[in-house]
């Protein structure tokens, strides 16, 4: 039974992560992977990896987020950024904030998600930054994981 559980969880993680796909942005590749929590707590963490040539930037989000998504966006001046959001899903959560911005040319992290950074995101981006539409739900994965644990 444990083997069936492990296989089911692995397939669920793979299908959700591959549904997100890989985003290409000015020759940088951005991928979101899901892995068991590195903190030892039950559940999963999201790992956002940006790579270009031999450079790699990796950000890990564990336990405090329910949604994560990434898009390649140009601002009104034609400058391109990797824009992502990582946020919780409750009624007190700040889903209009929590932006992360990465420069796709040198992979510098210009902004990390937090509950009050919409104005900072707009300043860096050069205008308003709308919500990321292409998000995956870690909460759905946690729910499926809990279901299989309680069988």
């Amino acid at each position: 039974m444990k083997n069936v559980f492990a296989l089911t969880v692995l397939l669920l993680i793979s299908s959700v992560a591959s549904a997100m796909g890989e985003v290409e942005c000015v020759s940088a590749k951005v991928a979101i992977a899901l892995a068991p929590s590195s903190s030892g707590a039950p559940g999963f963490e999201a790992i956002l990896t940006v790579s270009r040539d031999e450079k790699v930037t990796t950000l890990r989000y564990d336990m405090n987020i329910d949604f994560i998504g990434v898009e390649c966006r140009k601002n009104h001046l034609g400058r391109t950024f990797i824009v992502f959001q990582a946020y919780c899903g409750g009624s007190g959560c700040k889903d209009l904030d929590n932006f992360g911005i990465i420069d796709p040319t040198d992979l510098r992290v210009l902004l990390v998600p937090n509950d009050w950074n919409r104005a900072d995101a707009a300043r860096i981006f050069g205008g308003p930054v709308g919500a990321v539409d292409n998000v995956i739900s870690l909460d759905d994965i946690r729910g499926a994981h809990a279901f299989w644990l309680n069988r």
Side-chain angles (χ1 to χ4, degrees):
M1 187 65 162
K2 287 184 180 183
N3 289 340
V4 172
F5 165 71
L7 180 60
T8 302
V9 169
L10 181 63
L11 289 172
L12 179 63
I13 291 170
S14 298
S15 66
V16 172
S18 65
M20 182 74 217
E22 188 175 82
V23 174
E24 189 159 334
C25 191
V26 189
S27 299
K29 292 183 179 8
V30 186
I32 295 175
L34 302 176
S37 175
S38 61
S39 70
F44 300 94
E45 64 185 18
I47 304 164
L48 185 130
T49 303
V50 185
S51 60
R52 181 180 179 146
D53 301 324
E54 290 84 41
K55 294 181 184 180
V56 176
T57 296
T58 302
L59 302 168
R60 299 176 88 87
Y61 293 94
D62 193 9
M63 300 304 292
N64 294 325
I65 67 165
D66 296 319
F67 299 94
I68 188 167
V70 63
E71 297 174 354
C72 183
R73 294 189 183 171
K74 282 188 179 187
N75 68 7
H76 68 284
L77 299 173
R79 186 159 178 213
T80 304
F81 296 94
I82 296 166
V83 177
F84 66 99
Q85 276 187 292
Y87 56 93
C88 64
S91 60
C93 295
K94 309 288 187 183
D95 58 349
L96 298 177
D97 290 285
N98 285 291
F99 289 102
I101 299 177
I102 298 173
D103 184 325
T105 57
D106 62 9
L107 308 188
R108 280 185 312 129
V109 178
L110 305 173
L111 187 66
V112 294
N114 66 51
D115 284 349
W116 54 87
N117 73 356
R118 189 175 346 152
D120 292 331
R123 182 182 43 75
I124 292 167
F125 188 74
V129 181
V132 172
D133 293 326
N134 188 20
V135 296
I136 56 174
S137 170
L138 299 181
D139 208 33
D140 289 347
I141 295 167
R142 287 185 197 110
H145 183 251
F147 171 80
W148 282 103
L149 281 178
N150 294 320
R151 286 182 50 106

